[in-house]
Amino acid sequence: MSQTHLDTLEAESIHIMREVVATADNPMMLYSVGKDSAVMLHLAMMAFYPNKIPFPLMHVDTTWKFKEMIAFRDKTVSDLDLELIVHINEDGLDKGVGPFSHGSTVHTDVMKTQALKQALDKYTFDIAFGGARRDEEKSRAKERIFSFRTDKHQWDPKNQRPELWNIYNAKKHKGESIRVFPLSNWTELDVWQYIYRESIPIVPLYFSAKRPVVERDGVLILVDDDRLPLNEGETPMMKDVRFRTLGCYPLTGAVESNAKTLQDIIQEMLVSITSEREGRIIDFDSSESMEKKKQGGYF
Amino acid sequence: MSIDVEQYLVEQENKQLLRFITCGSVDDGKSTLIGRLLYESQLIFDDQLAELKSTSKKVGTQGDDIDFALLVDGLAAEMEQGITIDVAYRFFSTDKRKFIVADTPGHEQYTRNMATGASTADVAILLVDARAGLLPQTCRHSYIVNMLGVKNICLAINKMDLVDYSQEVFERIKAEFLEFSADLNFDEIVSIPVSALKGDNIINSSTNTQWYEGDSLIQYLENVKFNTEKEFQAFTFPVQWVNRLSHEFRGFCGLVAEGSISEGDEIVVKPSNKRSNIKKILVADNYSSSCSMGQSVTIELADEIDVSRGNIICHKDSSCDAVDQFQGKLLWMDEEKMVPGRPYIFRFGVAESSGSVSKLRHRININTFVDEASSDLELNEIGIVNIALDKKIVMEPYVDSKSLGSFIVIDKMTNNTVGMGLVNFALRRGDNVYWHNMEINRDSRSESKNQKPVVLWFTGLSGSGKSTIANIVEKKLYNLGKHTMLLDGDNVRHGLNKDLGFTDVDRVENIRRIANVSKLMLDAGLITIVSFIAPFKAERDLAKDLMGADILEVFIDVPIEVAESRDPKGLYKKARSGDLKNFTGIDSPYEKPENPDIHIESDKTSAEDAAELIVNKLIQKEAI
């Protein structure tokens, strides 16, 4: 019997996770609560079964995440009996940094990128798992599965270690760290098919429901709480919407959709005509934005 | 548009994953081909397509038609930043298979990137421009994919539209390639006439090539048999991690490298040769009666035997064995050249050992495939080498086992991956050199001298005062009744090392020999004073590895200007005038020790005081 492509991807990801646990001093999994994190967590549960996952999960909470994400996160942690570290940039919080007051660039930098660096330094994690995929974005296509960061958390795209066969070089000096992406070779469609095959729970925001939204510059923003300042004459509309990607609610666009089940979502994907990151507002900020953010330490 | 999603998902369940690499010379149409494949498999979204159409009209080379090359090159907009020289992975799928394409640059100087892409490829598509025929680059790429064990080659003879879809041209190039590749070990070579630009024979058979009856490129990719299991492949399972839950559960985790095994089967653990039986198998988190190649599993054994990371669980009749010396092929991937004798870490799958290239037999000229003599390997060069490891590792020739026959080389200082290698065969010589366990040993010898053996390893520029200080130290020790030996650079070079010069390679060998001689002297119970320039950190580290705690690094530090003004032997003058090449500090580097055990600034301390300080250190260390 030959393996299906999902079997192959699953075996590869488990192999990667076990390599990390066998070679790292203090590993951690960045858990963003999204669908990719859900798949990554599911794979980790398998990789170390019947043992518990031998590392903590960490959520960098910008305090602007969708409420449903936080609820889902806490339920998952309790259902699976996981160790979760929630890190908030208290400094940024004290200064009142947010997407409306400071703009998306500053907000993302302070509450996400800087927060992550703080957490890595605080807990001295040497290897951090991330759920990024190579098909997401052009600079990711060249990123290694074991992606090296300097002691200043910087990524040097021109100076990456060659990655041969499935032999991973996790050697580093004190202070340096490695981001490991077990889902590197998965595509968005693979992720959905796998969620379907394995019945992996995901945040309900991925499914269509009537939700209050406002339209800004052609993007539908969910009115998730009363921190969203309404412009003059703007009233929230109830629309059938869902999210293809999750993040900070003011920075994440909804799409109009009637997809209420996984089958619907997959069907929608198959006829979809725009790329997944379209809903991520941070990408619009500047042309080579992702590349820059990553060099600065963004995941 | 309606799709039967249930049906679709059932079909998807049976999809296989195929990894392939595209290679060929720079203008053979690689970007156009990948762009075409992504386009045809509808992986280009509307927003991208709209942009592509407008860019094509503006800067494309195809008039009003879409220029597919812009798609891939456009995806790689970071060209100026210099990372297009790297491997990019692209994804597409059809109803039958999902594909991962390793997109690697075509230029000659990127051999290492090609090899990286080929290391995980099941199939290689080799593009040839029908107008140009086979180019040196075509041959070079064939050589590399063959070396890395890719068995299936698709020779895509491209730009057929520019040769009027001529069957004669196609047959000629095909025949030329078959002749060229006769010496290589490909299982199957399929030639297809295509035009990536016009779409001929990419998805469907083209009406322009009615004389051609074979598969289109996509049909080939969907149907090619790859990674087929050999008739009998013995179960091979490198243990990655031991999952210990409690006394009741001890599972061995790993990816099955070859073959298959079932519950109850007898196994042998290498290198310990302990035997047991398979008790239970977990495939992911489900118990299963058997497991096979490519699965990540956790195995429980019936007996409590010692198994750890790097061990291999094998079928009971497996012939694989642990060795510490072997011959292999090495492709060097670092700017800093490979020098025989220099210590590196060799990583085989999940096992590793430090070691060094004991002999560079020859270098392979990648253009002519001719063997050439060489003393080192530069970036992108391939050599046949003998490697000596400090520890035995289970390995097999690469042609028999990709997973037990492949390794990477890691630099000990930078931790970078600096080379990749393939095992040709084990050298059994190591077993024949008996390491006598002598009854009179180091301890008994040094005890009779009432001292602890130690090596004082002096390093510093020529003219720093090493020899002067070393001589005083030895006299002081002699006066204390200690048994010493002084190894001095000049003296040793007149005898033991008279065959060596001052190139980097010779310097490494010089120090390797000195380090080993010092080790023997340690065993003889002597306080050994070694006084050499020893300019490279790597070799000094080799000495430290060899001697362990019994070495003290003494750095005689002096600014180069001071050393040059002393110039006791007139060497600096000669080096400055160009009469003396490779002189340390002038045209050959000196790498300062970072944490020497004793640091003496000889322009500030007298030789007498320096010697006193060193002797005191020995007293502190209770060596004397």
Side-chain angles (χ1 to χ4, degrees):
Chain A
M1 186 201 76
S2 67
Q3 283 187 306
T4 70
H5 76 292
L6 290 179
D7 293 335
T8 308
L9 292 171
E10 179 187 80
E12 180 184 271
S13 300
I14 290 175
H15 176 250
I16 291 164
M17 290 183 166
R18 288 170 173 171
E19 272 305 282
V20 168
V21 167
T23 54
D25 294 326
N26 190 16
M28 167 270 280
M29 177 180 282
L30 264 175
Y31 178 69
S32 75
V33 201
K35 64 180 193 309
D36 301 299
S37 282
V39 167
M40 191 161 62
L41 177 59
H42 181 81
L43 291 163
M45 297 291 291
M46 286 179 163
F48 306 104
Y49 181 87
N51 224 327
K52 282 176 60 171
I53 297 178
F55 45 79
L57 270 56
M58 189 171 81
H59 183 223
V60 175
D61 190 350
T62 61
T63 70
W64 289 87
K65 300 291 175 190
F66 291 95
K67 282 185 303 230
E68 280 188 71
M69 285 173 75
I70 303 300
F72 180 86
R73 176 194 76 190
D74 295 342
K75 184 174 183 325
T76 304
V77 166
S78 114
D79 285 354
L80 301 178
D81 189 19
L82 302 168
E83 183 190 347
L84 173 78
I85 299 168
V86 176
H87 184 80
I88 296 174
N89 184 349
E90 297 292 347
D91 232 27
L93 200 63
D94 286 348
K95 294 198 175 97
V97 172
F100 297 115
S101 49
H102 292 72
S104 63
T105 308
V106 172
H107 167 72
T108 306
D109 181 58
V110 173
M111 299 307 288
K112 205 167 165 181
T113 309
Q114 300 303 329
L116 172 60
K117 288 191 204 174
Q118 279 173 358
L120 289 169
D121 289 340
K122 179 176 171 189
Y123 298 100
T124 61
F125 292 120
D126 62 337
I127 298 193
F129 289 106
R133 309 185 316 267
R134 283 173 175 156
D135 77 324
E136 271 180 79
E137 201 267 336
K138 61 191 170 193
S139 77
R140 296 260 194 228
K142 297 182 180 184
E143 187 155 10
R144 305 293 188 258
I145 293 173
F146 278 57
S147 188
F148 190 78
R149 296 294 186 276
T150 64
D151 54 356
K152 303 277 184 296
H153 305 292
Q154 280 174 339
W155 182 55
D156 181 0
K158 284 177 226 174
N159 192 20
Q160 299 194 77
R161 292 175 179 173
E163 208 157 72
L164 300 143
W165 297 288
N166 59 1
I167 308 179
Y168 303 106
N169 175 3
K171 290 195 190 298
K172 60 207 165 306
H173 291 116
K174 208 174 154 57
E176 297 167 341
S177 61
I178 298 178
R179 311 283 162 89
V180 174
F181 304 107
L183 305 184
S184 286
N185 287 325
W186 296 57
T187 61
E188 190 186 5
L189 188 55
D190 295 329
V191 166
W192 283 116
Q193 283 171 7
Y194 191 69
I195 288 171
Y196 177 79
R197 187 181 93 171
E198 303 284 312
S199 310
I200 300 170
I202 50 171
V203 184
L205 290 165
Y206 284 109
F207 300 106
S208 169
K210 282 226 186 304
R211 297 185 170 99
V213 291
V214 291
E215 188 176 336
R216 289 187 182 168
D217 304 324
V219 182
L220 294 173
I221 303 291
L222 181 76
V223 185
D224 200 43
D225 57 37
D226 53 17
R227 288 182 294 176
L228 181 88
L230 292 176
N231 297 332
E232 234 183 81
E234 202 177 45
T235 42
M237 318 166 264
M238 294 303 284
K239 285 197 170 191
D240 287 311
V241 293
R242 69 180 201 86
F243 294 84
R244 285 178 68 182
T245 170
L246 296 179
C248 294
Y249 82 83
L251 301 178
T252 312
V255 289
E256 288 197 67
S257 162
N258 290 315
K260 291 193 166 54
T261 63
L262 276 174
Q263 285 98 317
D264 293 344
I265 289 177
I266 291 166
Q267 164 141 14
E268 204 177 85
M269 268 216 70
L270 293 173
V271 297
S272 128
I273 51 168
T274 49
S275 46
E276 170 191 27
R277 299 190 75 87
E278 195 196 40
R280 290 195 193 175
I281 293 173
I282 56 166
D283 280 356
F284 301 151
D285 279 355
S286 70
S287 53
E288 74 287 49
S289 64
M290 180 60 84
E291 183 91 30
K292 262 196 195 150
K293 285 194 183 74
K294 276 162 43 114
Q295 286 181 27
Y298 180 73
F299 215 76
Chain B
M1 184 166 165
S2 108
I3 294 170
D4 184 345
V5 175
E6 288 293 341
Q7 176 63 28
Y8 172 82
L9 287 167
V10 171
E11 281 166 15
Q12 297 300 310
E13 273 293 277
N14 298 315
K15 233 185 216 185
Q16 265 185 317
L17 179 64
L18 177 78
R19 294 172 208 247
F20 69 92
I21 180 170
T22 51
C23 38
S25 215
V26 185
D27 293 318
D28 289 346
K30 204 158 56 72
S31 296
T32 308
L33 180 77
I34 294 176
R36 167 67 73 175
L37 289 171
L38 296 179
Y39 174 74
E40 296 286 358
S41 61
Q42 284 155 2
L43 268 182
I44 295 171
F45 294 108
D46 265 15
D47 38 342
Q48 293 168 325
L49 190 62
E51 193 194 328
L52 181 61
K53 279 181 179 154
S54 74
T55 326
S56 294
K57 280 190 190 158
K58 255 185 277 166
V59 298
T61 53
Q62 306 303 326
D64 279 350
D65 290 342
I66 295 177
D67 185 348
F68 288 104
L70 286 177
L71 181 70
V72 179
D73 296 342
L75 286 175
E78 59 276 47
M79 189 125 43
E80 296 89 323
Q81 300 176 41
I83 63 169
T84 42
I85 55 167
D86 217 321
V87 193
Y89 295 91
R90 312 203 185 276
F91 307 84
F92 69 97
S93 57
T94 66
D95 290 343
K96 284 196 181 163
R97 279 180 178 166
K98 167 183 170 155
F99 301 96
I100 300 181
V101 193
D103 182 9
T104 60
H107 303 73
E108 177 182 355
Q109 62 266 42
Y110 305 135
T111 302
R112 66 170 169 171
N113 306 89
M114 244 268 345
T116 302
S119 74
T120 51
D122 304 307
V123 170
I125 296 183
L126 195 56
L127 272 162
V128 180
D129 182 336
R131 296 169 306 173
L134 299 192
L135 295 173
Q137 190 68 356
T138 324
C139 303
R140 196 155 37 222
H141 284 172
S142 310
Y143 180 84
I144 294 168
V145 294
N146 175 64
M147 165 175 145
L148 285 163
V150 177
K151 293 290 175 198
N152 294 287
I153 295 288
C154 172
L155 185 72
I157 301 176
N158 191 23
K159 307 196 183 180
M160 288 300 293
D161 52 317
L162 299 180
V163 294
D164 295 329
Y165 299 100
S166 156
Q167 180 175 10
E168 194 202 324
V169 170
F170 172 78
E171 296 293 347
R172 179 170 48 77
I173 296 174
K174 179 179 162 182
E176 267 176 39
F177 185 77
L178 290 178
E179 192 190 329
F180 159 76
S181 62
D183 294 338
L184 303 177
N185 284 317
F186 298 126
D187 283 353
E188 188 188 51
I189 299 167
V190 172
S191 304
I192 306 177
V194 300
S195 166
L197 187 68
K198 305 281 178 195
D200 294 295
N201 292 323
I202 300 292
I203 307 297
N204 300 311
S205 297
S206 169
T207 49
N208 291 319
T209 52
Q210 302 221 348
W211 43 265
Y212 173 74
E213 292 176 342
D215 285 343
S216 71
L217 187 62
I218 283 287
Q219 285 164 350
Y220 167 80
L221 289 171
E222 282 186 329
N223 297 314
V224 60
K225 285 201 179 67
F226 65 100
N227 215 353
T228 41
E229 286 205 30
K230 292 172 198 156
E231 231 160 75
F232 175 75
Q233 264 194 316
F235 178 71
T236 308
F237 180 73
V239 176
Q240 227 190 329
W241 187 66
V242 182
N243 193 344
R244 254 180 263 257
L245 188 58
S246 59
H247 288 301
E248 296 87 61
F249 187 85
R250 199 156 147 267
F252 305 106
C253 303
L255 186 68
V256 182
E258 280 148 35
S260 57
I261 200 108
S262 301
E263 255 176 36
D265 286 356
E266 189 183 345
I267 56 94
V268 57
V269 180
K270 301 283 180 170
S272 69
N273 283 321
K274 295 226 165 71
R275 290 176 179 269
S276 183
N277 295 79
I278 303 278
K279 185 171 139 197
K280 273 184 174 162
I281 301 168
L282 268 168
V283 177
D285 55 354
N286 291 306
Y287 281 101
S288 170
S289 58
S290 67
C291 62
S292 56
M293 182 171 153
Q295 291 183 313
S296 271
V297 305
T298 303
I299 285 175
E300 288 177 75
L301 297 179
D303 308 279
E304 260 194 46
I305 54 175
D306 195 28
V307 181
S308 54
R309 175 172 163 90
N311 290 167
I312 317 280
I313 297 179
C314 307
H315 180 268
K316 65 179 169 65
D317 298 330
S318 168
S319 59
C320 69
D321 213 352
V323 298
D324 55 6
Q325 298 204 34
F326 65 98
Q327 189 188 102
K329 245 183 213 156
L330 192 61
L331 166 59
W332 202 246
M333 309 178 104
D334 199 50
E335 305 281 348
E336 179 141 345
K337 63 191 176 188
M338 187 287 292
V339 180
R342 183 164 280 183
Y344 297 102
I345 292 168
F346 294 82
R347 172 94 190 262
F348 286 71
V350 294
E352 68 179 34
S353 166
S354 62
S356 63
V357 170
S358 52
K359 187 176 183 183
L360 173 57
R361 303 181 69 89
H362 56 78
R363 179 175 69 196
I364 298 166
N365 183 317
I366 187 94
N367 294 309
T368 58
F369 307 144
V370 169
D371 299 345
E372 296 172 342
S374 174
S375 58
D376 50 41
L377 286 181
E378 306 257 4
L379 176 67
N380 287 322
E381 289 186 339
I382 297 172
I384 301 291
V385 293
N386 287 359
I387 289 173
L389 303 175
D390 296 344
K391 183 177 110 182
K392 287 190 172 190
I393 283 183
V394 180
M395 65 180 82
E396 289 212 85
Y398 188 76
V399 291
D400 296 335
S401 168
K402 260 195 183 187
S403 63
L404 296 190
S406 54
F407 61 91
I408 60 172
V409 186
I410 299 170
D411 187 281
K412 286 190 156 188
M413 304 322 138
T414 63
N415 287 330
N416 280 337
T417 303
V418 292
M420 67 187 293
L422 316 168
V423 177
N424 286 352
F425 48 81
L427 296 166
R428 304 281 167 184
R429 277 194 303 249
D431 289 348
N432 300 329
V433 182
Y434 247 96
W435 199 245
H436 287 282
N437 241 340
M438 289 165 275
E439 284 181 23
I440 308 287
N441 57 24
R442 181 196 289 199
D443 291 345
S444 37
R445 287 188 206 103
S446 52
E447 217 165 281
S448 73
K449 296 184 178 59
N450 198 21
Q451 64 187 36
K452 265 203 226 159
V454 66
V455 171
L456 287 169
W457 186 281
F458 283 60
T459 170
L461 293 168
S462 175
S464 60
K466 292 185 301 296
S467 299
T468 312
I469 299 171
N471 273 315
I472 304 176
V473 170
E474 190 173 28
K475 275 185 207 151
K476 284 182 184 286
L477 292 172
Y478 181 85
N479 288 336
L480 290 168
K482 301 303 166 190
H483 197 163
T484 57
M485 180 63 200
L486 174 65
L487 292 168
D488 184 80
D490 291 340
N491 302 341
V492 173
R493 277 192 176 273
H494 281 124
L496 174 66
N497 289 356
K498 71 193 265 190
D499 56 325
L500 300 177
F502 290 90
T503 60
D504 286 1
V505 174
D506 283 359
R507 283 180 188 277
V508 171
E509 175 60 14
N510 183 42
I511 299 301
R512 190 193 67 81
R513 289 187 199 169
I514 303 305
N516 279 284
V517 170
S518 314
K519 176 88 186 330
L520 291 173
M521 299 213 166
L522 264 186
D523 289 345
L526 305 181
I527 295 173
T528 311
I529 304 165
V530 181
S531 173
F532 288 82
I533 297 173
F536 301 132
K537 187 166 178 302
E539 278 64 58
R540 297 194 300 264
D541 286 348
L542 168 90
K544 287 183 208 163
D545 278 358
L546 212 56
M547 254 74 80
D550 302 325
I551 184 168
L552 290 176
E553 188 175 48
V554 184
F555 177 29
I556 311 296
D557 191 2
V558 70
I560 177 114
E561 306 78 51
V562 178
E564 191 165 352
S565 68
R566 289 178 185 161
D567 206 7
K569 299 169 206 158
L571 298 173
Y572 282 94
K573 207 171 154 208
K574 277 195 195 166
R576 287 289 180 198
S577 68
D579 291 343
L580 188 60
K581 292 277 172 222
N582 298 319
F583 191 71
T584 299
I586 306 295
D587 56 350
S588 184
Y590 179 78
E591 300 168 8
K592 288 190 176 185
E594 280 159 14
N595 292 306
D597 298 292
I598 302 172
H599 186 173
I600 286 162
E601 291 173 296
S602 74
D603 54 331
K604 296 178 187 152
T605 313
S606 73
E608 181 64 35
D609 288 351
E612 190 64 37
L613 206 125
I614 294 166
V615 172
N616 284 337
K617 186 86 179 179
L618 290 178
I619 295 171
Q620 267 175 34
K621 234 197 150 218
E622 294 177 350
I624 53 176

